[in-house]
Amino acid sequence: MNERLKVTPLGPYIGALVENLTLAKPLSDSQFEQLYHALLKHQVLFMRNQPVTPVQQRDLARRFGDLHIHPVYPHAAEAEEIIVLDTHDNNPPDNDNWHTDVTFIANPPSGAILAAKLLPETGGDTLWASGFAAYDALSAPFRELLTGLRAEHDFKKSFPEYKHRGSEEEYARWKLAVEKNPPLLHPVVRSHPVSGRKALYVNEGFTTRIVDLAPKESDALLSFLFAHITKPEFQVRWRWQQDDVAIWDNRVTQHYANADYLPQRRIMHRATIL
Ligand code: SIN
């Protein structure tokens, strides 16, 4: 059996299409290794026509590491590790901003696997940006300025109180999540734990301030960095089809879920790898 994956880059910096594998079945060690290396190289991988159940998606994600259980998002009945992002007019999305998943914890997730379950007729694309490419594009003196700076990341920035007062139960879950996830610090520039390559590591979704700077300096620098990451040169944009799956390296990327599809409905399943 030919187990060689076909990996086609979708641009010079980020993104690749992967073919010749079936994610619903357990991957062989060779397939997993090829997938893992493609992920390290391209940062986000896309696979077409991969219907996976929540349990199959969870099992695939577990090959990469332990899984995170989200403090507020609902999960699939069959697997609490699979977040259900079911968005529509009465539940508008909250991920239409540039963010890296779950940077509000001390050891943020290394990756995620997202499966398209129900798509609007048009719209609902997701964009990923490479923190490597964004960092590399900065001038040497500017990179020097960022070195050693620490930024605060806060759960409440993406999950504000006013959005979580729907029911007593939802509000209690939110309050517990706030209690368990106080703001914490991460470096503004981080090194990839495998390659050592440097990447920009602030995201608009969760980063509130650079604690080593005066507030106005922090505001100015963050607004520059948040704008910088949105340069199309650093990005790949995926137009979803039913049963597509994306896998990304959450340590060096950020993403934006385009919210142009309302009032249509869109359902995605996400496994988050620690
Ligand atoms: C996410 O923000 O993790 C999911 C992205 C999407 O729904 O496209």
Side-chain angles (χ1 to χ4, degrees):
M1 195 175 68
N2 176 16
E3 289 205 327
R4 189 114 311 265
L5 304 191
K6 185 173 175 214
V7 181
T8 311
L10 298 173
Y13 299 126
I14 180 168
L17 178 70
V18 178
E19 294 166 286
N20 198 29
L21 84 172
T22 304
L23 297 177
K25 293 196 285 195
L27 300 182
S28 69
D29 289 347
S30 155
Q31 287 173 318
F32 177 74
E33 201 170 308
Q34 291 173 64
L35 193 66
Y36 179 72
H37 282 102
L39 183 62
L40 291 181
K41 182 166 177 192
H42 299 286
Q43 305 145 64
V44 52
L45 305 176
F46 303 99
M47 285 133 284
R48 295 279 193 205
N49 194 22
Q50 301 286 342
V52 281
T53 65
V55 168
Q56 288 165 338
Q57 187 177 353
R58 179 197 65 197
D59 292 349
L60 170 69
R62 275 196 184 143
R63 292 290 296 269
F64 291 86
D66 292 339
L67 303 183
H68 176 254
I69 298 186
H70 201 276
V72 291
Y73 281 143
H75 59 76
E78 309 90 312
E80 63 173 346
E81 300 88 346
I82 302 297
I83 293 170
V84 178
L85 299 165
D86 180 355
T87 46
H88 45 80
D89 239 12
N90 293 330
N91 184 34
D94 57 11
N95 51 6
D96 52 331
N97 56 42
W98 282 102
H99 64 282
T100 299
D101 287 332
V102 194
T103 59
F104 55 83
I105 62 175
N107 292 305
S110 62
I113 302 182
L114 189 67
K117 295 294 163 187
L118 181 82
L119 293 172
E121 217 162 278
T122 54
D125 297 353
T126 309
L127 295 86
W128 280 263
S130 166
F132 290 146
Y135 178 76
D136 290 349
L138 298 169
S139 67
F142 200 87
R143 293 202 299 248
E144 187 67 27
L145 169 73
L146 301 183
T147 305
L149 295 180
R150 298 161 304 154
E152 182 183 78
H153 294 237
D154 190 347
F155 168 83
K156 294 193 294 307
K157 191 172 182 200
S158 267
F159 299 100
E161 180 168 1
Y162 79 93
K163 283 193 180 168
H164 295 274
R165 300 199 74 147
S167 65
E168 284 291 313
E169 191 195 337
E170 182 188 357
Y171 190 41
R173 204 176 322 123
W174 178 85
K175 280 198 287 198
L176 187 64
V178 170
E179 203 182 296
K180 285 193 170 164
N181 297 285
L184 44 67
L185 304 183
H186 294 300
V188 169
V189 174
R190 75 172 287 183
S191 299
H192 194 286
V194 178
S195 66
R197 194 172 162 196
K198 288 183 176 170
L200 195 58
Y201 197 63
V202 287
N203 72 86
E204 193 160 21
F206 294 111
T207 311
T208 48
R209 63 195 176 106
I210 298 176
V211 295
D212 302 298
L213 299 180
K216 281 191 176 163
E217 292 170 343
S218 166
D219 289 349
L221 192 48
L222 281 179
S223 64
F224 167 76
L225 293 173
F226 293 158
H228 179 66
I229 197 83
T230 66
K231 270 192 93 166
E233 284 84 344
F234 312 144
Q235 297 171 15
V236 64
R237 178 177 184 139
W238 189 247
R239 289 184 199 285
W240 295 97
Q241 292 175 9
Q242 183 73 34
D243 294 323
D244 282 356
V245 167
I247 306 181
W248 64 92
D249 188 331
N250 194 60
R251 298 167 289 201
V252 291
T253 60
Q254 36 192 288
H255 52 281
Y256 184 111
N258 199 334
D260 57 357
Y261 52 89
L262 298 174
Q264 295 176 87
R265 194 173 178 192
R266 178 180 186 267
I267 305 179
M268 311 295 279
H269 284 180
R270 189 183 88 199
T272 314
I273 304 154
L274 286 166

